[in-house]
């Protein structure tokens, strides 16, 4: 009995975080929260995302045909929201993808981004060890589901399809992003939302013709509960964004609510997860857009050098 009371007293004496919530390391430096090593759910499983894609080890797969994008060109006013981890824009389910080697038609749920305050990190996926400034994720679920949470309770490893776009710093303004970037100041704090002027997804991403090249693997959500139910597509083509447009994300947005600002100011920076072990998984690549355009000059240069040498000596 005594030990029980002592235990009780000890338990009560612990400073209990009201709601121990998952967070990124940049938050854990300032408040008590669950950082990646303590993320709950399936986050310590063997088929996690993101990953480092080693292009030389990707397997060419002819079933990875081009996508059919439905209503990706639909101009519409949409709501942008700071959810305390990222900025998210809800999409209506008339937006769909099929083809792309997928077994099903998927409908859009939302898109969001990951970033840093440097232009050489911030993306979740890396390619041959290289990070990019940001990464855009367009999240889709199988058509038969009503919601993301319903899809997450499904039993297949492809209930969710995420299209991932690497965003690289560019000297050019990206006019397609001006609308979104201008609204970041209206969603500075957690749970703030704002209405974006009309735009389509194709204002943000490269035209369909440039999206025939992509990597494919099976992984997880990159935030808790990290459910391993995502069929991933990471496109070869990068989205160029001016570095001043990129920096608007890390300088305008905060993880915390406005009420919390006096106690803890947490700029929304480094809201990306580090790459996870590939394990026994394989990464596939579609045929188009890879190798040939880049490889020809690389093959030709040594050949010409060789021929020149023959002539000169
Ligand atoms: C291509 O990918 C499909 C799944 O989309 C798989 O069933 C098939 O075995 C793969 N082919 C090769 C050659 O890896
Ligand atoms: C980029 O576009 C924004 C908004 O239209 C403008 O304010 C800014 O000066 C432009 N920057 C460059 C480098 O063109
Ligand atoms: Zn994401």
């Amino acid at each position: 009995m005594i030990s029980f009371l002592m235990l009780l007293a000890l338990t009560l004496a612990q400073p209990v975080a009201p709601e121990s919530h998952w967070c990124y390391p940049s938050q854990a430096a300032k408040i008590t929260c669950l950082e990646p090593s303590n993320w709950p759910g399936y986050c310590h499983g063997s088929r996690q995302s993101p990953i480092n894609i080693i292009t030389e080890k990707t397997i060419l797969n002819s079933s990875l045909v081009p996508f059919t994008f439905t209503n990706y060109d639909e101009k519409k006013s949409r709501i942008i929201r700071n959810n305390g981890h990222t900025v998210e824009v809800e999409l209506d389910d008339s937006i769909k993808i099929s083809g792309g080697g997928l077994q099903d038609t998927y409908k859009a749920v939302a898109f969001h981004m990951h970033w840093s305050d440097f232009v050489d990190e911030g993306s979740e996926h890396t390619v041959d060890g290289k990070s990019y400034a940001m990464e855009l994720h367009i999240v889709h679920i199988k058509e038969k589901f009503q919601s993301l949470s319903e899809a997450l309770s499904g039993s297949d490893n492809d209930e969710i399809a995420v299209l991932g776009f690497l965003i690289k710093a560019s000297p050019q303004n990206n006019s397609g992003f001006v609308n979104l970037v201008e609204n970041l100041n209206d969603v500075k704090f957690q749970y703030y939302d704002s209405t974006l002027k009309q735009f389509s997804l194709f204002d943000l991403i490269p035209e369909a013709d440039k999206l025939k090249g992509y990597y494919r693997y099976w992984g997880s959500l990159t935030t808790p509960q990290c459910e391993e139910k995502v069929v991933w597509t990471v496109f070869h083509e990068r989205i160029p964004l001016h570095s001043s447009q990129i920096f608007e994300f890390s300088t305008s947005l905060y993880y915390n609510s406005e009420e919390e600002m006096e106690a803890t100011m947490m700029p929304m920076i480094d809201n990306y997860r580090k790459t996870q072990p590939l394990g026994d998984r394989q990464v596939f690549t579609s045929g188009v857009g890879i190798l040939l355009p880049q490889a020809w000059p690389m093959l030709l240069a040594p050949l010409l050098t060789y021929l020149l040498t023959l002539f000169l000596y």
Side-chain angles (χ1 to χ4, degrees):
M1 189 62 185
I2 285 175
S3 62
F4 170 75
L5 283 177
M6 278 169 65
L7 212 76
L8 189 69
L10 275 174
T11 313
L12 292 175
Q14 296 291 321
V16 179
E19 179 201 2
S20 231
H21 202 265
W22 71 269
C23 64
Y24 292 104
S26 49
Q27 293 167 274
K30 302 199 174 174
I31 55 162
T32 306
C33 55
L34 300 176
E35 50 188 314
S37 56
N38 292 319
W39 277 7
Y42 306 91
C43 299
H44 305 282
S46 57
R47 299 161 39 80
Q48 290 289 295
S49 295
I51 55 163
N52 175 37
I53 296 164
I54 302 169
T55 55
E56 217 173 54
K57 291 191 180 162
T58 59
I59 299 166
L60 192 68
N61 190 318
S62 57
S63 66
L64 299 180
V65 297
F67 284 89
T68 301
F69 298 99
T70 306
N71 288 329
Y72 261 57
D73 57 353
E74 186 187 33
K75 297 243 183 218
K76 235 183 141 173
S77 179
R78 299 181 169 92
I79 308 285
I80 185 169
R81 182 164 182 266
N82 177 333
N83 68 12
H85 306 294
T86 180
V87 281
E88 184 172 49
V89 176
E90 240 174 80
L91 297 171
D92 53 90
D93 56 14
S94 63
I95 298 177
K96 293 185 166 71
I97 50 169
S98 58
L102 300 172
Q103 303 298 308
D104 222 313
T105 298
Y106 290 77
K107 58 187 182 184
V109 178
F111 73 82
H112 62 263
M113 272 145 295
H114 303 268
W115 61 84
S116 174
D117 53 349
F118 293 99
V119 294
D120 57 358
E121 57 182 282
S123 68
E124 296 213 298
H125 288 90
T126 60
V127 179
D128 294 329
K130 183 177 158 58
S131 296
Y132 289 81
M134 297 182 73
E135 189 165 326
L136 165 65
H137 288 157
I138 310 181
V139 181
H140 307 73
I141 54 176
K142 278 183 184 166
E143 237 183 344
K144 63 179 177 184
F145 294 120
Q146 294 307 310
S147 64
L148 182 63
S149 56
E150 197 183 300
L152 287 169
S153 64
S155 54
D156 291 337
N157 67 355
D158 64 350
E159 306 291 21
I160 297 157
V162 183
L163 302 188
F165 297 85
L166 299 166
I167 299 178
K168 64 168 185 196
S170 153
Q172 301 279 318
N173 247 357
N174 183 329
S175 57
F177 272 77
V178 169
N179 179 18
L180 187 101
V181 168
E182 274 178 351
N183 272 269
L184 295 179
N185 271 312
D186 295 333
V187 293
K188 284 183 114 42
F189 304 110
Q190 191 180 24
Y191 304 139
Y192 275 34
D193 61 32
S194 173
T195 306
L196 296 169
K197 284 184 297 211
Q198 292 211 346
F199 72 101
S200 79
L201 288 177
F202 273 132
D203 288 338
L204 305 178
I205 65 171
E207 57 194 283
D209 239 16
K210 293 184 171 169
L211 299 179
K212 293 173 182 167
Y214 57 89
Y215 304 109
R216 163 65 41 80
Y217 78 99
W218 283 262
S220 73
L221 293 185
T222 64
T223 56
Q225 307 290 320
C226 308
E227 287 90 343
E228 296 178 334
K229 292 177 183 175
V230 180
V231 50
W232 272 97
T233 303
V234 177
F235 290 96
H236 297 168
E237 182 79 10
R238 324 296 193 223
I239 297 176
L241 199 56
H242 193 282
S243 47
S244 66
Q245 295 180 300
I246 293 167
F247 291 139
E248 285 295 326
F249 287 83
S250 56
T251 55
S252 304
L253 302 166
Y254 292 85
Y255 288 115
N256 44 281
S257 64
E258 189 168 20
E259 297 72 51
E260 291 166 341
M261 277 298 276
E262 246 173 84
T264 34
M265 263 179 63
M266 290 186 291
M268 196 177 269
I269 295 174
D270 294 338
N271 58 350
Y272 68 94
R273 188 186 196 192
K274 292 248 187 303
T275 56
Q276 305 293 306
L278 183 62
D280 57 12
R281 291 175 289 175
Q282 285 173 325
V283 181
F284 297 96
T285 184
S286 68
V288 191
I290 187 184
L291 286 179
L292 283 178
Q294 292 110 318
W296 269 114
M298 278 162 53
L299 291 174
L300 275 177
L303 185 67
L304 288 175
T305 316
Y306 174 65
L307 288 175
L308 264 176
T309 336
L310 285 185
F311 277 110
L312 288 175
Y313 291 94

